[in-house]
Amino acid sequence: MKERIYVCHTYYHVYVTCLKELTLPKPMRRQATLVLSTMSNDFGDLQGRARDSGLFEEVLMFEEKEEHFFPELARYHTDYGNLAANLFARIKFTKLYGRLQEPYVPVDFGEYGDVYVFCDSDPIGYYLNYKKIPYHALEDGLDCICYYDTARYDNRGHFGLKAFLAKWNLIFIQNGYSKYCVDMEVNNTSILKYPCPKYIEQPREVLVRRLTQADKNVILRIFMEDMDGLLEQLSAGDHHERKVLVLSEPLCSLSVRERIFKDIIAQYGQDAQVLIKPHPRDALDYREIFPQHIVLDGKFPMEILNFVEGLEFEKVVSVYTVPDSIHFAKEKVFLGDDFMDKYENPEEHRFNEQIF
């Protein structure tokens, strides 16, 4: 039996995985397998750097397939106008989706003592429940359930009945409601409106505080392909002594997104050196739109900037990315739903308010 395996879909997932591994006693390290899903992110050269770090026993790529890859699944989304008929179709969908994923899975998850999955709402969740393999779920992003409880939102209407069916593995519900989810790590249970019996609190800051400088250097080597280039960007240019970091996010349409970040920079970037950190899944070309500002590489989690000694920003601004884990900024601005109301219909982003 092998020790541990982690399935990651984003750079942030890999970052949290590194935190969990680096806070283990040294004799327990280098016994985990890291799996990088290509479904929603281009991990570039991260696989090689993670392998060379010495932190993991093995680093694998996973060609995870989204639902639309299998046209035979579309028929199960027909609305029959009847709860029982719709649930029966969902039962069939749940089993078939898990089975169709099997040829693309790169490893036998049954060989591992502990399986950790970020985003079990993705196909890997269906697969593990189809194979009846117990796993630990982890919060997709810092405090993300507080702002968007996907399990409740995706299953609004008769949630109690659906949760009962998921408990018996007839249908699948993510984030702690599936039969084979052992538990789900969240950063802070006290801020969650809807408790789940499987939630366990694991504050990310507790893990960060346990890191030594050597541990932080391991993380920097994994994520930073060109540290010297980054430091050069951060130490030059007009107003570099007053830095403002704007965190982009894949919000709404590209045209509206462009307007959002132009407005943010106009409001918060006056008399400052503006740096834009693109979200890895953000397709907007910030270098073309904002040639006068510094656009950082999007392929690293913002949290590792905490480990760059001497780095300090005047301000960091985000729309939905929770900035609580940032220590390199004097001021943190979280804009949230009220800000987004000015750019799109509130129903497009006020998800938790639509839970019933």
Side-chain angles (χ1 to χ4, degrees):
M1 179 72 71
K2 298 181 180 180
E3 293 292 332
R4 299 175 301 283
I5 186 168
Y6 298 84
V7 180
C8 299
H9 295 85
T10 71
Y11 289 89
Y12 178 77
H13 297 170
V14 180
Y15 166 72
V16 174
T17 295
C18 291
L19 293 183
K20 291 177 68 65
E21 286 296 297
L22 285 166
T23 53
L24 292 172
K26 287 188 177 180
M28 295 181 63
R29 300 180 190 178
R30 202 179 171 84
Q31 298 179 34
T33 296
L34 174 65
V35 176
L36 303 175
S37 169
T38 61
M39 192 178 78
S40 56
N41 260 309
D42 173 12
F43 284 103
D45 298 326
L46 185 68
Q47 180 185 21
R49 295 196 301 275
R51 185 185 292 128
D52 294 342
S53 71
L55 186 57
F56 301 100
E57 181 179 29
E58 192 174 20
V59 182
L60 304 174
M61 303 303 291
F62 176 19
E63 299 295 330
E64 194 172 9
K65 300 302 182 185
E66 294 185 83
E67 179 184 329
H68 61 74
F69 185 80
F70 307 106
E72 59 266 48
L73 292 173
R75 59 183 292 197
Y76 297 107
H77 288 304
T78 301
D79 185 354
Y80 295 98
N82 177 281
L83 176 63
N86 287 343
L87 286 175
F88 182 71
R90 184 167 172 180
I91 289 170
K92 296 178 73 174
F93 169 88
T94 298
K95 297 291 186 289
L96 181 57
Y97 196 13
R99 180 169 61 82
L100 290 172
Q101 203 67 217
E102 189 163 19
Y104 306 95
V105 175
V107 67
D108 183 355
F109 284 96
E111 293 183 348
Y112 290 84
D114 287 295
V115 177
Y116 294 91
V117 177
F118 298 83
C119 263
D120 67 336
S121 59
D122 285 326
I124 185 62
Y126 288 84
Y127 172 76
L128 291 172
N129 280 273
Y130 163 70
K131 298 292 287 187
K132 301 180 180 179
I133 297 174
Y135 66 94
H136 308 276
L138 298 98
E139 196 171 22
D140 179 24
L142 187 68
D143 294 333
C144 64
I145 296 176
C146 175
Y147 300 97
Y148 184 12
D149 189 332
T150 55
R152 294 269 179 172
Y153 179 81
D154 292 348
N155 295 278
R156 56 198 187 280
H158 305 285
F159 181 79
L161 172 61
K162 295 172 184 176
F164 175 80
L165 295 175
K167 183 178 179 180
W168 290 97
N169 201 30
L170 294 173
I171 66 172
F172 176 78
I173 297 178
Q174 68 270 37
N175 291 357
Y177 293 97
S178 69
K179 178 176 181 177
Y180 291 97
C181 178
V182 177
D183 49 42
M184 180 169 183
E185 288 187 14
V186 298
N187 181 62
N188 184 356
T189 56
S190 68
I191 63 174
L192 302 180
K193 182 178 179 180
Y194 301 101
C196 173
K198 293 183 181 181
Y199 288 165
I200 58 173
E201 187 172 276
Q202 175 56 78
R204 299 297 177 227
E205 281 302 306
V206 171
L207 299 179
V208 172
R209 287 197 296 268
R210 293 176 186 167
L211 297 176
T212 65
Q213 187 57 51
D215 295 334
K216 294 175 183 178
N217 291 339
V218 170
I219 294 178
L220 285 170
R221 286 195 297 271
I222 289 175
F223 287 102
M224 299 311 299
E225 195 167 9
D226 182 13
M227 177 60 74
D228 292 339
L230 173 64
L231 294 176
E232 184 178 343
Q233 281 184 307
L234 297 175
S235 61
D238 294 339
H239 306 294
H240 71 269
E241 70 284 350
R242 185 175 180 271
K243 297 179 174 62
V244 172
L245 178 64
V246 176
L247 303 176
S248 100
E249 296 172 67
L251 306 164
C252 45
S253 67
L254 290 179
S255 59
V256 176
R257 195 180 313 168
E258 179 178 340
R259 183 159 59 93
I260 286 172
F261 287 100
K262 282 183 176 178
D263 290 350
I264 288 174
I265 291 172
Q267 180 173 354
Y268 296 100
Q270 296 298 317
D271 300 319
Q273 182 187 57
V274 175
L275 297 97
I276 303 169
K277 164 66 172 64
H279 188 284
R281 294 196 301 274
D282 191 344
L284 195 65
D285 190 340
Y286 289 89
R287 287 186 173 86
E288 179 180 343
I289 297 169
F290 301 101
Q292 71 276 36
H293 300 308
I294 296 174
V295 180
L296 301 174
D297 181 5
K299 294 181 178 179
F300 66 85
M302 63 178 181
E303 288 83 358
I304 70 164
L305 293 176
N306 290 324
F307 306 149
V308 180
E309 294 185 86
L311 179 62
E312 185 176 75
F313 285 77
E314 188 74 19
K315 193 175 296 183
V316 61
V317 185
S318 75
V319 181
Y320 282 118
T321 299
V322 178
D324 292 354
S325 60
I326 290 176
H327 303 304
F328 52 82
K330 295 178 183 177
E331 181 184 355
K332 292 175 273 193
V333 179
F334 178 80
L335 298 171
D337 286 337
D338 291 343
F339 173 82
M340 280 302 297
D341 286 347
K342 298 181 292 184
Y343 296 93
E344 66 178 5
N345 189 318
E347 291 185 357
E348 298 297 317
H349 52 266
R350 290 184 178 269
F351 300 108
N352 282 2
E353 296 176 14
Q354 301 173 57
I355 293 172
F356 56 90

